[in-house]
Amino acid sequence: MCVEDRISNLPDHIRCYILSFLPIQEAVRTSVISTKWRNLFASISTVDFDTYLLCRLTDGNVDSFKNFVDRLLKFPDQLSLDCFMLRGDEFDSWNDEGHGFDVSGWICAAVCRDSKIFEVPSEVCLRNLKTLSITNSRLVGDSLNRLISNCHVLEDLTFYQCFVANAREINIQIPSLKSLYLDFFLPIEGLNYVVVINAPNLVYFRYDSIIVEGYSLSNMKSLEKAEMCISFYSSNYETSATHLFQGICNVRSLRLNIHEVIHLTSGFPIFHNLIEFDFYGSETWFVEFLHCAPNLKTLTILLEV
């Protein structure tokens, strides 16, 4: 009696979805079923290397494992990832023992594949990375802080249209940082955290977000240009907005886009170094700000009617 193989006749994207529920080693084993399954595992959208898998590696198969991960993540025609996780304390020690895991390359490859859920173990150190850009990703817990705290020579950092979940603080303290772009998509219930920035060599700062609970911006005396597109969900965060502006008050060129008519009870700080100002928003904010820029030379305005 011949039994029809209905699963093999399903479209590729459905079979990939099925494989995403299997441990990665089991997903790979399906490649021997038939030619239809041979390279299908390389297109799965969930990649999770856990402690159980890592503990089973030996000196005899570690090279095959490295080649497999490189092939899985670095193929130019791969689909986007929905989830990429590296878990297990052994990763860093294996690097020290000379096995040569390219953990930094794997993480960067996952980012390039547009991974939507990003979790980073504390052992990862991207010691030579100078540019990091993450787009359309959901940063879980303290993964963002773990990631950037181990980028010791980072110069250009971008989080574009990212969602931050379960974090009390976003902590960016990188002495080498020169350019920072933060664009966070935030749910209303996710505004109760603090943004901490300590970047003494920061030259360019762009911030697109709803005003959150708190800001601590220090050591930003090198700042030349800032672009701010901010909005308010609640007037309770007026003081937070004031702290944000205080942190960038040394800037020479500022582009400010703000629409809510919310009066800052503490007022703007004095922008002594500001010589170029582009403003888009309400007249109330504009008039108040002009009193705080005594050395302004170039002004561009677009007022809301």
Side-chain angles (χ1 to χ4, degrees):
M1 180 179 178
C2 181
V3 179
E4 182 182 359
D5 182 2
R6 295 184 178 180
I7 295 181
S8 294
N9 291 327
L10 292 173
D12 286 354
H13 71 279
I14 294 180
R15 287 185 291 134
C16 282
Y17 181 71
I18 294 173
L19 291 184
S20 68
F21 291 95
L22 297 177
I24 189 66
Q25 62 269 31
E26 300 299 331
V28 173
R29 288 173 183 164
T30 62
S31 63
V32 301
I33 296 176
S34 68
T35 55
K36 285 186 175 182
W37 293 85
R38 182 167 298 167
N39 294 314
L40 193 64
F41 71 88
S43 297
I44 59 178
S45 59
T46 299
V47 177
D48 183 359
F49 297 116
D50 58 17
T51 303
Y52 175 72
L53 171 62
L54 300 180
C55 289
R56 296 182 64 184
L57 292 181
T58 65
D59 290 340
N61 63 17
V62 68
D63 286 337
S64 297
F65 173 73
K66 289 191 296 185
N67 292 334
F68 160 70
V69 180
D70 286 342
R71 180 174 177 235
L72 182 66
L73 293 177
K74 298 180 180 179
F75 270 10
D77 58 346
Q78 300 293 29
L79 300 177
S80 295
L81 288 176
D82 291 324
C83 181
F84 175 67
M85 288 182 285
L86 293 172
R87 296 185 287 174
D89 296 336
E90 295 85 354
F91 254 110
D92 198 49
S93 60
W94 279 339
N95 272 315
D96 293 339
E97 293 170 8
H99 292 299
F101 287 113
D102 186 15
V103 176
S104 300
W106 294 347
I107 292 175
C108 290
V111 172
C112 290
R113 284 185 59 184
D114 199 15
S115 179
K116 297 300 191 298
I117 303 175
F118 205 69
E119 297 191 20
V120 181
S122 58
E123 298 82 9
V124 172
C125 182
L126 307 177
R127 57 178 60 88
N128 296 317
L129 190 67
K130 291 189 176 183
T131 299
L132 176 61
S133 179
I134 298 180
T135 301
N136 296 327
S137 296
R138 183 176 187 267
L139 303 164
V140 180
D142 293 325
S143 285
L144 185 153
N145 294 331
R146 287 200 298 269
L147 176 62
I148 61 181
S149 65
N150 288 318
C151 299
H152 304 308
V153 297
L154 197 65
E155 296 181 356
D156 189 338
L157 176 61
T158 297
F159 289 98
Y160 179 67
Q161 293 186 351
C162 289
F163 170 77
V164 181
N166 302 322
R168 287 294 301 149
E169 181 179 274
I170 295 176
N171 196 330
I172 302 173
Q173 302 199 48
I174 309 175
S176 57
L177 196 64
K178 296 179 180 179
S179 175
L180 176 61
Y181 179 14
L182 302 179
D183 181 352
F184 292 134
F185 173 79
L186 301 169
I188 298 308
E189 65 273 13
L191 302 176
N192 57 338
Y193 66 85
V194 177
V195 175
V196 178
I197 301 175
N198 186 337
N201 292 302
L202 193 67
V203 176
Y204 173 75
F205 178 44
R206 179 170 175 178
Y207 185 70
D208 297 350
S209 177
I210 299 174
I211 294 295
V212 298
E213 184 176 282
Y215 296 91
S216 176
L217 279 61
S218 59
N219 259 339
M220 296 179 68
K221 294 182 179 180
S222 300
L223 194 64
E224 292 285 336
K225 183 175 182 178
E227 297 183 65
M228 318 287 288
C229 183
I230 59 176
S231 57
F232 290 83
Y233 171 68
S234 170
S235 59
N236 294 332
Y237 291 151
E238 294 175 14
T239 302
S240 296
T242 299
H243 291 162
L244 175 61
F245 286 116
Q246 287 173 344
I248 65 167
C249 65
N250 290 307
V251 71
R252 293 174 59 84
S253 174
L254 175 63
R255 184 179 188 272
L256 179 60
N257 189 329
I258 185 166
H259 300 285
E260 285 83 351
V261 183
I262 294 180
H263 177 69
L264 295 183
T265 54
S266 301
F268 286 105
I270 303 298
F271 287 76
H272 292 286
N273 299 329
L274 189 66
I275 59 174
E276 181 179 353
F277 183 41
D278 290 5
F279 179 81
Y280 303 85
S282 68
E283 182 178 351
T284 302
W285 277 82
F286 173 68
V287 173
E288 185 173 350
F289 191 92
L290 281 184
H291 292 292
C292 302
N295 298 311
L296 197 62
K297 294 181 179 180
T298 303
L299 176 62
T300 303
I301 60 173
L302 179 59
L303 299 179
E304 291 183 339
V305 179

